[in-house]
Short mmCIF file of all heavy atoms in Angstrom, two decimals:
data_model
loop_
_atom_site.label_atom_id
_atom_site.label_comp_id
_atom_site.label_asym_id
_atom_site.label_seq_id
_atom_site.Cartn_x
_atom_site.Cartn_y
_atom_site.Cartn_z
N ALA A 22 -27.56 44.59 38.40
CA ALA A 22 -27.81 44.21 37.05
C ALA A 22 -27.29 45.22 36.08
O ALA A 22 -26.70 45.01 35.02
CB ALA A 22 -29.32 43.95 36.87
N ARG A 25 -23.48 45.38 35.94
CA ARG A 25 -22.82 44.38 35.07
C ARG A 25 -22.74 44.76 33.68
O ARG A 25 -21.82 44.41 33.02
CB ARG A 25 -23.67 43.05 35.28
CG ARG A 25 -23.52 42.34 36.60
CD ARG A 25 -24.25 40.91 36.50
NE ARG A 25 -23.68 40.16 35.49
CZ ARG A 25 -24.40 39.33 34.65
NH1 ARG A 25 -25.69 39.27 34.78
NH2 ARG A 25 -23.75 38.51 33.78
N VAL A 26 -23.83 45.46 33.26
CA VAL A 26 -23.86 45.83 31.84
C VAL A 26 -22.74 46.91 31.64
O VAL A 26 -21.99 46.85 30.57
CB VAL A 26 -25.27 46.45 31.49
CG1 VAL A 26 -25.21 47.18 30.21
CG2 VAL A 26 -26.23 45.36 31.36
N GLU A 29 -19.35 45.37 31.15
CA GLU A 29 -19.16 44.68 29.91
C GLU A 29 -19.08 45.61 28.73
O GLU A 29 -19.20 45.20 27.61
CB GLU A 29 -20.38 43.63 29.75
CG GLU A 29 -20.27 42.46 30.73
CD GLU A 29 -21.45 41.49 30.58
OE1 GLU A 29 -22.11 41.49 29.53
OE2 GLU A 29 -21.70 40.74 31.60
N VAL A 38 -31.87 49.84 31.01
CA VAL A 38 -32.89 48.86 30.60
C VAL A 38 -32.64 47.57 31.37
O VAL A 38 -33.60 46.99 31.84
CB VAL A 38 -32.73 48.68 29.02
CG1 VAL A 38 -33.60 47.42 28.66
CG2 VAL A 38 -33.14 49.96 28.28
N ALA A 39 -31.39 47.12 31.55
CA ALA A 39 -31.19 45.94 32.28
C ALA A 39 -31.69 46.17 33.79
O ALA A 39 -32.35 45.29 34.37
CB ALA A 39 -29.72 45.64 32.36
N ALA A 40 -31.44 47.28 34.37
CA ALA A 40 -31.90 47.60 35.77
C ALA A 40 -33.35 47.66 35.81
O ALA A 40 -34.07 47.25 36.70
CB ALA A 40 -31.21 48.81 36.26
N ALA A 42 -35.65 46.28 33.72
CA ALA A 42 -36.34 44.94 33.61
C ALA A 42 -36.08 44.21 34.91
O ALA A 42 -37.05 43.55 35.43
CB ALA A 42 -35.65 44.18 32.50
N THR A 43 -35.00 44.29 35.55
CA THR A 43 -34.73 43.51 36.86
C THR A 43 -35.62 44.02 37.93
O THR A 43 -36.17 43.25 38.67
CB THR A 43 -33.21 43.61 37.19
OG1 THR A 43 -32.47 43.05 36.17
CG2 THR A 43 -33.03 42.83 38.48
N VAL A 46 -39.08 42.79 38.20
CA VAL A 46 -39.19 41.39 38.69
C VAL A 46 -39.01 41.48 40.20
O VAL A 46 -39.75 40.82 40.99
CB VAL A 46 -38.15 40.47 37.98
CG1 VAL A 46 -38.06 39.14 38.85
CG2 VAL A 46 -38.38 40.33 36.61
N PRO A 128 -27.29 42.78 23.04
CA PRO A 128 -28.63 42.34 22.69
C PRO A 128 -29.61 42.17 23.79
O PRO A 128 -29.18 42.25 25.00
CB PRO A 128 -28.41 40.96 22.09
CG PRO A 128 -27.11 40.34 22.88
CD PRO A 128 -26.30 41.69 23.06
N LEU A 129 -30.89 42.19 23.51
CA LEU A 129 -31.88 42.16 24.57
C LEU A 129 -31.69 40.91 25.43
O LEU A 129 -31.95 40.99 26.66
CB LEU A 129 -33.30 42.09 23.89
CG LEU A 129 -33.86 43.43 23.39
CD1 LEU A 129 -35.23 43.13 22.65
CD2 LEU A 129 -34.13 44.37 24.61
N ALA A 130 -31.33 39.77 24.88
CA ALA A 130 -31.06 38.62 25.68
C ALA A 130 -30.11 38.96 26.78
O ALA A 130 -30.23 38.36 27.95
CB ALA A 130 -30.61 37.46 24.80
N ARG A 131 -29.06 39.65 26.56
CA ARG A 131 -28.09 40.01 27.58
C ARG A 131 -28.63 41.02 28.58
O ARG A 131 -28.49 40.87 29.74
CB ARG A 131 -26.82 40.56 26.88
CG ARG A 131 -25.79 41.23 27.91
CD ARG A 131 -25.35 40.08 28.93
NE ARG A 131 -24.75 40.74 30.08
CZ ARG A 131 -25.38 41.16 31.22
NH1 ARG A 131 -26.67 41.04 31.28
NH2 ARG A 131 -24.68 41.67 32.15
N LEU A 132 -29.43 42.02 28.00
CA LEU A 132 -29.97 43.05 28.93
C LEU A 132 -31.01 42.50 29.85
O LEU A 132 -31.16 42.96 30.98
CB LEU A 132 -30.58 44.21 28.17
CG LEU A 132 -29.58 44.96 27.19
CD1 LEU A 132 -30.27 46.05 26.54
CD2 LEU A 132 -28.40 45.46 27.97
N PHE A 133 -31.69 41.41 29.45
CA PHE A 133 -32.70 40.84 30.29
C PHE A 133 -32.22 39.64 31.11
O PHE A 133 -33.03 38.96 31.83
CB PHE A 133 -33.88 40.34 29.39
CG PHE A 133 -34.71 41.46 28.83
CD1 PHE A 133 -35.65 41.21 27.85
CD2 PHE A 133 -34.57 42.73 29.18
CE1 PHE A 133 -36.48 42.09 27.24
CE2 PHE A 133 -35.35 43.76 28.62
CZ PHE A 133 -36.27 43.40 27.69
N GLU A 134 -30.94 39.32 31.06
CA GLU A 134 -30.40 38.12 31.58
C GLU A 134 -30.69 38.10 33.12
O GLU A 134 -31.11 37.06 33.65
CB GLU A 134 -28.89 38.09 31.37
CG GLU A 134 -28.21 36.81 31.73
CD GLU A 134 -26.80 36.83 31.29
OE1 GLU A 134 -26.51 36.61 30.07
OE2 GLU A 134 -25.86 37.04 32.21
N ASP A 135 -30.41 39.14 33.87
CA ASP A 135 -30.61 39.13 35.29
C ASP A 135 -32.12 39.04 35.65
O ASP A 135 -32.51 38.29 36.55
CB ASP A 135 -30.07 40.40 35.97
CG ASP A 135 -28.49 40.39 35.90
OD1 ASP A 135 -27.92 40.17 34.89
OD2 ASP A 135 -27.92 40.61 37.00
N ALA A 136 -32.90 39.75 34.95
CA ALA A 136 -34.36 39.76 35.19
C ALA A 136 -34.97 38.41 34.97
O ALA A 136 -35.76 37.88 35.78
CB ALA A 136 -35.05 40.82 34.24
N ILE A 137 -34.54 37.79 33.92
CA ILE A 137 -35.06 36.36 33.58
C ILE A 137 -34.54 35.44 34.74
O ILE A 137 -35.31 34.57 35.14
CB ILE A 137 -34.56 35.93 32.22
CG1 ILE A 137 -35.22 36.76 31.11
CG2 ILE A 137 -34.82 34.44 32.01
CD1 ILE A 137 -34.73 36.60 29.72
N TYR A 138 -33.34 35.56 35.06
CA TYR A 138 -32.75 34.65 36.10
C TYR A 138 -33.57 34.78 37.42
O TYR A 138 -33.97 33.77 38.02
CB TYR A 138 -31.32 34.94 36.40
CG TYR A 138 -30.75 34.16 37.50
CD1 TYR A 138 -30.42 32.82 37.39
CD2 TYR A 138 -30.69 34.67 38.80
CE1 TYR A 138 -29.95 32.10 38.44
CE2 TYR A 138 -30.17 33.96 39.88
CZ TYR A 138 -29.81 32.68 39.72
OH TYR A 138 -29.39 31.95 40.81
N TYR A 139 -33.78 35.97 37.84
CA TYR A 139 -34.45 36.24 39.09
C TYR A 139 -35.96 35.85 39.07
O TYR A 139 -36.51 35.37 40.05
CB TYR A 139 -34.33 37.67 39.57
CG TYR A 139 -32.90 38.01 39.95
CD1 TYR A 139 -32.23 39.18 39.41
CD2 TYR A 139 -32.16 37.19 40.83
CE1 TYR A 139 -30.95 39.45 39.64
CE2 TYR A 139 -30.81 37.52 41.17
CZ TYR A 139 -30.27 38.65 40.63
OH TYR A 139 -28.93 38.92 40.86
N ALA A 140 -36.53 36.06 37.88
CA ALA A 140 -37.94 35.53 37.78
C ALA A 140 -38.04 34.09 37.82
O ALA A 140 -39.05 33.61 38.48
CB ALA A 140 -38.57 36.16 36.41
N ASN A 141 -37.19 33.37 37.29
CA ASN A 141 -37.21 31.92 37.37
C ASN A 141 -36.73 31.38 38.69
O ASN A 141 -37.33 30.56 39.31
CB ASN A 141 -36.24 31.34 36.22
CG ASN A 141 -36.97 31.14 34.91
OD1 ASN A 141 -38.22 30.77 34.95
ND2 ASN A 141 -36.29 31.39 33.79
N ALA A 190 -40.86 35.40 33.55
CA ALA A 190 -39.53 34.97 32.88
C ALA A 190 -39.71 34.60 31.36
O ALA A 190 -38.99 35.06 30.50
CB ALA A 190 -38.84 33.93 33.59
N LEU A 193 -40.33 37.72 29.25
CA LEU A 193 -39.10 38.46 28.97
C LEU A 193 -38.24 37.69 27.87
O LEU A 193 -37.58 38.22 27.03
CB LEU A 193 -38.22 38.60 30.23
CG LEU A 193 -38.84 39.63 31.23
CD1 LEU A 193 -38.25 39.47 32.65
CD2 LEU A 193 -38.61 41.07 30.66
N GLU A 194 -38.25 36.43 28.00
CA GLU A 194 -37.52 35.55 26.97
C GLU A 194 -38.19 35.73 25.67
O GLU A 194 -37.44 35.85 24.67
CB GLU A 194 -37.56 34.11 27.39
CG GLU A 194 -36.68 33.76 28.64
CD GLU A 194 -36.95 32.32 29.11
OE1 GLU A 194 -37.91 31.75 28.79
OE2 GLU A 194 -36.10 31.95 29.98
N ALA A 197 -37.10 39.07 24.32
CA ALA A 197 -35.71 39.07 23.81
C ALA A 197 -35.49 38.41 22.49
O ALA A 197 -34.69 38.79 21.62
CB ALA A 197 -34.86 38.32 24.83
#
Side-chain angles (χ1 to χ4, degrees):
R25 286 187 63 219
V26 167
E29 293 176 19
V38 170
T43 300
V46 172
L129 282 173
R131 171 60 195 89
L132 299 182
F133 290 169
E134 189 175 281
D135 289 51
I137 292 168
Y138 173 79
Y139 294 126
N141 273 321
L193 288 163
E194 289 169 345

